[in-house]
Amino acid sequence: MIRVAANLAWLVPGRVGGSEEYTIRLLSAVIAAAPADIDLRVIGAPALFAAHPGLRAAECVTLRGPQTMRPWRIASESTIVHRATRDADVVHHFGGRVPARNHGNDIVTIHDLQPLQMPENFSAVKRHYLGFVLPRSVRAARMVLTPSEWVASTVVELLGADPADVRPVSSTWDAADHIEANAAEVDGLGDGAVVLYPAVTHPHKRHELLLAAMERLAGLDDDVTLVLTGGTGRAEAAVQAAIERSPVRVVRPGRVSAARLRGLYRQADVLAFPSAYEGFGLPVLEAMRAGVPVVASNATALPEVIGDTGLLVDGADPDRWAEAIVASLHGGADVEARVARARARAEHWSPKAAAERLIDAWRAVS
């Protein structure tokens, strides 16, 4: 029996973006797989288990303390978490860093290196902290996991990791079948085409580029609605100003429930994903699984996920984005063929396959 401790002390529900989805979906897939040789223990705060009650199917260690305070979370990993993992064969830190005090049997998941590659998106304090802790974590870990081959290559290139110690372990789609069931229809989208973009309004997500492209699209198709889900980020004010100027109908529900997002995938005619930086891109995978045509940036990990199943757009020319969206709305047999290939390609990231890759990593370290 391999005793695995999953350190989720860093995870504040609703505040850590895609890394939360990555982590919860992977661990949920492992719990569903129920491997006979894995004894899984999950360590986190009460809010974590309240937000994701499915984790309680594993052994849970609940941390008590002010989890919303980052200094407390960091300190707890070298104290409370250290004590709670002393009998584990493998300690997996899903939050991107290995604590200062560790047992030497650590795996760390590094979701991306955006603080090093796009430092303008981070405060000076956070840049300096991560600039120190990320290389130290790579040196301390016996294995580094990443969500994609692209992130793995950046960890090797920028942090000097040994390629033999870096392994891509991607996450999976929402285990609930959002294609046929468990979806809440969303009202007020009109009778025309629906373009969906689920993303927090951070600058690198490039909402303004999409809004500019939709302005071009308005001249070609008046009956189109753009739906923007996701929380508020550093570019929120600029995005709101662009929405107010837009001639296209824009629906902005903000953060939505999983059921409502599944409903939006069912209702969408195109997923437009202009983000300039993604360590993986789970919304793209969700769209592929749901049979929604994808238009995305030809950047970072997105081509690795999409392959030849969607339209990849270079650069930030709104006209090129508008053309790609129109081609996906009215492409006929070509679009149908891409969607069929996308559904088949998405199977590579099924819950069962994702769980097997993670379990194989744990076995390799134990």
Side-chain angles (χ1 to χ4, degrees):
M1 182 67 69
I2 302 170
R3 294 166 295 182
V4 178
N7 172 19
L8 272 58
W10 56 277
L11 203 165
V12 181
R15 289 180 50 176
V16 295
S19 57
E20 178 177 357
E21 289 294 325
Y22 170 96
T23 301
I24 299 304
R25 291 184 185 189
L26 260 182
L27 289 177
S28 298
V30 169
I31 290 170
D37 63 331
I38 300 295
D39 178 15
L40 177 62
R41 179 186 314 164
V42 181
I43 304 167
L48 170 72
F49 300 114
H52 304 289
L55 294 177
R56 295 190 180 278
E59 179 186 351
C60 297
V61 175
T62 303
L63 303 175
R64 303 293 177 181
Q67 190 199 20
T68 56
M69 298 175 59
R70 182 176 289 113
W72 181 87
R73 295 198 301 272
I74 294 172
S76 73
E77 291 183 311
S78 288
T79 53
I80 306 170
V81 174
H82 186 263
R83 291 193 296 272
T85 58
R86 57 180 175 264
D87 63 341
D89 299 304
V90 179
V91 184
H92 189 160
H93 308 281
F94 281 86
R97 63 180 183 271
V98 175
R101 292 184 67 202
N102 57 79
H103 301 288
N105 55 353
D106 305 270
I107 291 178
V108 65
T109 293
I110 295 181
H111 298 273
D112 61 51
L113 294 182
Q114 189 181 160
L116 305 183
Q117 295 175 297
M118 303 184 76
E120 66 275 9
N121 287 347
F122 298 84
S123 68
V125 171
K126 192 166 186 178
R127 288 199 307 270
H128 289 305
Y129 170 71
L130 293 175
F132 165 75
V133 77
L134 286 172
R136 184 193 62 76
S137 294
V138 167
R139 292 191 299 268
R142 292 182 57 188
M143 183 180 291
V144 177
L145 304 188
T146 64
S148 63
E149 293 277 2
W150 179 78
V151 175
S153 69
T154 66
V155 169
V156 171
E157 177 184 356
L158 298 180
L159 299 183
D162 185 338
D165 297 332
V166 182
R167 182 181 297 200
V169 175
S170 304
S171 192
T172 183
W173 61 67
D174 187 344
D177 186 356
H178 56 66
I179 299 171
E180 302 296 342
N182 300 318
E185 296 292 319
V186 178
D187 296 328
L189 301 187
D191 298 323
V194 174
V195 177
L196 174 64
Y197 185 29
V200 177
T201 53
H202 290 322
H204 70 277
K205 299 293 187 179
R206 303 200 298 187
H207 287 75
E208 291 171 89
L209 169 59
L210 179 56
L211 285 159
M214 296 299 294
E215 183 175 348
R216 273 72 165 174
L217 191 64
L220 304 173
D221 189 344
D222 292 332
D223 193 10
V224 62
T225 298
L226 174 63
V227 181
L228 302 175
T229 67
T232 60
R234 292 178 298 278
E236 177 66 22
V239 173
Q240 282 292 347
I243 290 173
E244 292 172 5
R245 298 191 302 267
S246 177
V248 177
R249 183 193 302 115
V250 180
V251 176
R252 178 74 196 289
R255 287 182 62 87
V256 298
S257 67
R260 198 175 186 204
L261 185 57
R262 287 192 288 269
L264 284 168
Y265 278 114
R266 288 183 60 183
Q267 293 171 270
D269 296 285
V270 171
L271 179 89
F273 208 80
S275 177
Y277 190 103
E278 294 293 323
F280 183 81
L282 281 174
V284 168
L285 176 61
E286 294 285 6
M288 293 165 60
R289 167 71 172 160
V292 182
V294 173
V295 177
S297 299
N298 190 19
T300 59
L302 293 172
E304 178 183 332
V305 178
I306 296 166
D308 67 348
T309 72
L311 295 184
L312 296 169
V313 183
D314 292 307
D317 182 347
D319 291 324
R320 297 184 69 177
W321 279 89
E323 291 169 3
I325 293 170
V326 169
S328 295
L329 287 173
H330 305 294
D334 288 342
V335 174
E336 292 177 6
R338 287 200 300 272
V339 166
R341 293 198 300 272
R343 287 186 188 274
R345 186 178 180 86
E347 291 300 317
H348 176 72
W349 294 284
S350 70
K352 180 180 179 181
E356 287 175 354
R357 286 189 284 268
L358 179 58
I359 294 165
D360 285 345
W362 290 343
R363 289 170 177 154
V365 169
S366 65

